[in-house]
Amino acid sequence: MTPLLSSFSISFTELSSYLLCFILLLILLEQISYLAKKSSVPGPSLVLPFIGNAIPLVRHPTKFWDLQSSLAKSTNRGFSVNYIIGNFIVFIRDTELSHKVFANVRPNAFHLVGHPFGKKLFGEHNLIYKMGQDHKNLRRRIAPNFTPKALSTYTSLQQIIILNHLKSWVEKAQDRTEAPRSIPLRILARDMNLETSQTVFVGPYLGLKARERFERDYYLFNVGLMKLPIDFPGTSFRNARLAVDRLVGTLATCTEMSKAKMERGEEPSCLIDYWMQDTLREIMEAKLAGGSPQPFSSNAEIGGYLFDFLFAAQDASTSSLLWAVALLDSHPAVLERVRDEVAGIWSPESDELITAEQLREMKYTQAVAREVVRFRPPATLVPHIAAERFPLTESYTIPKGAIVFPSAFESSFQGFNEPDRFDPDRFSEERQEDQIFKRNFLAFGAGPHQCVGQRYALNHLVLFIAMFATLIDFKRDRTDGCDEIVYVPTICPKDDCMVFLSKRCARYPFFPTVEELVK
């Protein structure tokens, strides 16, 4: 061996040794940092270098969060910890500690992120990331979208779309070329909700081709939600991020078209119209007073906020519809009471849309909807990031940068009488558990970022339950483990809610078309 090669060999060997020692030092420091943050809180004693427990989370999210819940229950602390790809996480099952997080969304405490990698997907300036006075001002601007008059407009649109999809579901299940077969409802319900959201939010401003592109992009976004944030060309996460940009651009165009319609003095026919009607009024008042342009009123900004609404409404609503079907099937007495109540208020043969007043009369059906949401809250976890060290309890301070997961699911099974039992009567006027245990009902969040569209979401669920139970006979195609919870990304039955469907009513009602309603 020549001296040069010998020298190179020695240098390479030394370099390899140094590199190995450096990596081992990083691993050691990572473990020490994790253990220091963990303190005596329940959680794994050791974690895999660099990735932590990311693999179990991605492969079996239900088992992962069940384990975190078990760890949190193992002591009286009410929370547990773990480590995911360089992120220290805190899982909270105790209701009062969850409220403490929700109440402290501010620059120097917790930042709501909606999704662990949400800012990379949604951008920095969307509604869920706003705080303080900006957040209050924006919510005030959104308020006209959910007045009784606006909700009544949406109710009519929702029913037309629900009916069209229910009819197609029955046709799919009763395919003439085969014997009656069970069909999975998850994708069908998701498609129904996507069309409902598109129609309610931006009404006539999405043409057929735009809707098709919209649906493709939203599918890419949904896939990316469940992937690791590897932002390289061709990855699911990159495809999702680019899809969000296109979706926001499409919604910004719809905003521009709505502004033009409202400037002509036409009546609102969808959510963006109600929003722009009020926004244009404020812009005009500001101009007359010589003030500056109104914040949160550009087409691009509003397009981003509309996407927030879409994200909040789409998957959460799909989850609730599926669990409603599953729970009504497994509780026939509840189903019978729903059918009796609806029959006393509305008949398909009337060919009339269910009015807002009739919807309010459906007290038991409303209780069923609220119990579905309590029993299976769709967004089980609400991620926040600790911007600074935060004293969660007298004995434990959450470290800066930790991702904190208050669990709406865990709170739903605390406080209520027999919380493990599906019991809509808990929300009756006699028992009023929704008031007595109000702090435990966290399906729509709490604090300054509580869901602004919860009335719309509940109306949608009540309408679906009323129409599905009245118009359709259904039976679950039950298999072992079919009702186990899976994350997709909200929670759904493991079997995607497989059901046999057939028409129950003498004939379907004749509703006007969406085009006739919004013209």
Side-chain angles (χ1 to χ4, degrees):
M1 182 181 293
T2 65
L4 180 61
L5 288 175
S6 177
S7 173
F8 176 80
S9 177
I10 294 171
S11 299
F12 181 76
T13 302
E14 289 177 348
L15 182 61
S16 299
S17 299
Y18 290 146
L19 183 60
L20 178 61
C21 290
F22 180 70
I23 292 173
L24 290 174
L25 178 61
L26 286 180
I27 293 172
L28 178 62
L29 291 175
E30 182 183 50
Q31 295 291 334
I32 291 172
S33 173
Y34 165 73
L35 292 173
K37 293 174 180 177
K38 174 183 179 297
S39 185
S40 59
V41 178
S45 299
L46 295 173
V47 293
L48 282 175
F50 311 124
I51 64 171
N53 283 300
I55 294 174
L57 173 59
V58 172
R59 283 186 175 176
H60 303 291
T62 305
K63 290 182 180 179
F64 178 87
W65 294 117
D66 283 347
L67 176 59
Q68 288 304 130
S69 175
S70 297
L71 290 169
K73 292 176 185 176
S74 66
T75 69
N76 60 2
R77 289 175 178 265
F79 60 99
S80 60
V81 301
N82 211 312
Y83 186 75
I84 306 292
I85 315 180
N87 292 293
F88 183 78
I89 72 168
V90 180
F91 171 88
I92 300 177
R93 76 171 301 272
D94 179 83
T95 296
E96 293 307 315
L97 295 181
S98 291
H99 274 280
K100 196 169 185 179
V101 174
F102 289 136
N104 284 281
V105 177
R106 47 189 169 84
N108 61 345
F110 295 107
H111 296 181
L112 176 63
V113 295
H115 184 275
F117 316 117
K119 283 194 176 182
K120 293 184 179 181
L121 277 178
F122 309 139
E124 297 276 345
H125 306 295
N126 284 348
L127 174 61
I128 55 177
Y129 305 126
K130 292 195 176 296
M131 290 177 280
Q133 194 58 46
D134 275 354
H135 180 250
K136 291 179 182 177
N137 289 341
L138 182 54
R139 284 180 71 96
R140 178 184 59 80
R141 299 287 295 278
I142 292 170
N145 303 337
F146 300 104
T147 61
K149 180 181 178 182
L151 289 171
S152 179
T153 300
Y154 310 154
T155 295
S156 298
L157 295 171
Q158 288 165 294
Q159 290 174 73
I160 295 170
I161 295 166
I162 289 172
L163 174 62
N164 290 338
H165 280 265
L166 292 185
K167 289 160 69 174
S168 72
W169 294 4
V170 172
E171 289 175 6
K172 186 178 181 68
Q174 299 290 324
D175 191 330
R176 292 181 182 179
T177 63
E178 301 177 13
R181 58 195 175 95
S182 63
I183 59 172
L185 291 188
R186 183 170 72 86
I187 301 302
L188 297 176
R190 186 202 68 187
D191 291 345
M192 181 184 74
N193 284 332
L194 185 56
E195 183 180 351
T196 305
S197 298
Q198 290 172 339
T199 306
V200 168
F201 294 171
V202 293
Y205 306 117
L206 273 182
L208 179 59
K209 288 186 177 179
R211 282 180 181 268
E212 291 174 353
R213 290 194 302 270
F214 201 96
E215 289 169 7
R216 285 198 301 271
D217 282 335
Y218 199 84
Y219 170 78
L220 293 173
F221 165 71
N222 251 344
V223 171
L225 275 178
M226 299 299 291
K227 303 298 182 182
L228 295 176
I230 302 171
D231 196 2
F232 294 123
T235 63
S236 295
F237 192 84
R238 169 66 67 86
N239 291 339
R241 190 173 61 77
L242 295 176
V244 170
D245 292 341
R246 292 192 295 270
L247 289 166
V248 169
T250 299
L251 293 170
T253 301
C254 293
T255 301
E256 182 180 13
M257 296 167 69
S258 174
K259 282 181 178 177
K261 179 179 176 180
M262 293 301 99
E263 283 177 340
R264 295 194 297 268
E266 297 183 34
E267 281 295 308
S269 61
C270 60
L271 183 146
I272 190 61
D273 284 348
Y274 283 101
W275 193 343
M276 292 307 97
Q277 186 181 61
D278 199 67
T279 296
L280 290 172
R281 178 185 57 78
E282 289 196 359
I283 290 174
M284 182 59 66
E285 289 174 355
K287 282 183 179 179
L288 293 174
S292 57
Q294 292 294 295
F296 318 126
S297 60
S298 74
N299 297 337
E301 284 177 306
I302 293 169
Y305 304 142
L306 280 171
F307 180 76
D308 290 346
F309 287 178
L310 185 75
F311 173 56
Q314 173 65 29
D315 295 307
S317 181
T318 298
S319 171
S320 293
L321 300 192
L322 297 179
W323 288 114
V325 172
L327 291 165
L328 286 172
D329 175 79
S330 59
H331 296 80
V334 173
L335 173 61
E336 194 60 33
R337 286 182 64 182
V338 167
R339 284 173 166 166
D340 288 345
E341 179 180 70
V342 175
I345 297 171
W346 173 76
S347 168
E349 286 76 15
S350 71
D351 295 330
E352 296 289 336
L353 291 161
I354 299 171
T355 66
E357 292 73 20
Q358 289 174 319
L359 199 62
R360 285 192 290 270
E361 290 177 32
M362 297 179 185
K363 301 293 186 183
Y364 184 72
T365 309
Q366 288 186 27
V368 171
R370 293 181 69 82
E371 178 67 346
V372 168
V373 173
R374 181 202 69 86
F375 196 74
R376 289 292 182 263
T380 60
L381 301 160
V382 189
H384 294 67
I385 288 181
E388 301 290 344
R389 287 166 50 85
F390 186 87
L392 185 65
T393 66
E394 292 182 0
S395 60
Y396 185 75
T397 297
I398 294 176
K400 179 180 178 179
I403 303 180
V404 183
F405 292 89
S407 175
F409 187 90
E410 296 292 330
S411 289
S412 290
F413 292 88
Q414 300 170 39
F416 293 96
N417 294 316
E418 298 183 84
D420 293 324
R421 187 161 69 92
F422 181 75
D423 180 14
D425 281 323
R426 72 176 73 252
F427 293 114
S428 65
E429 293 181 356
E430 293 75 25
R431 289 170 58 180
Q432 295 187 354
E433 289 190 29
D434 55 330
Q435 297 302 315
I436 299 170
F437 304 111
K438 186 176 181 178
R439 291 183 69 79
N440 297 89
F441 191 80
L442 293 178
F444 296 103
H449 279 80
Q450 188 174 36
C451 177
V452 68
Q454 60 180 287
R455 186 65 262 172
Y456 166 78
L458 284 170
N459 278 356
H460 186 61
L461 183 53
V462 174
L463 284 169
F464 175 82
I465 291 172
M467 294 177 69
F468 186 82
T470 300
L471 303 178
I472 292 180
D473 274 321
F474 62 99
K475 183 178 180 179
R476 287 291 302 282
D477 186 359
R478 293 199 166 274
T479 55
D480 289 343
C482 65
D483 283 335
E484 290 178 12
I485 292 171
V486 295
Y487 289 76
V488 287
T490 50
I491 60 169
C492 293
K494 185 178 180 179
D495 71 339
D496 284 349
C497 200
M498 297 288 295
V499 291
F500 296 96
L501 301 175
S502 61
K503 186 168 75 169
R504 179 175 183 267
C505 55
R507 67 171 178 83
Y508 295 118
F510 293 106
F511 288 162
T513 65
V514 168
E515 291 73 23
E516 290 171 337
L517 211 61
V518 301
K519 66 181 179 180

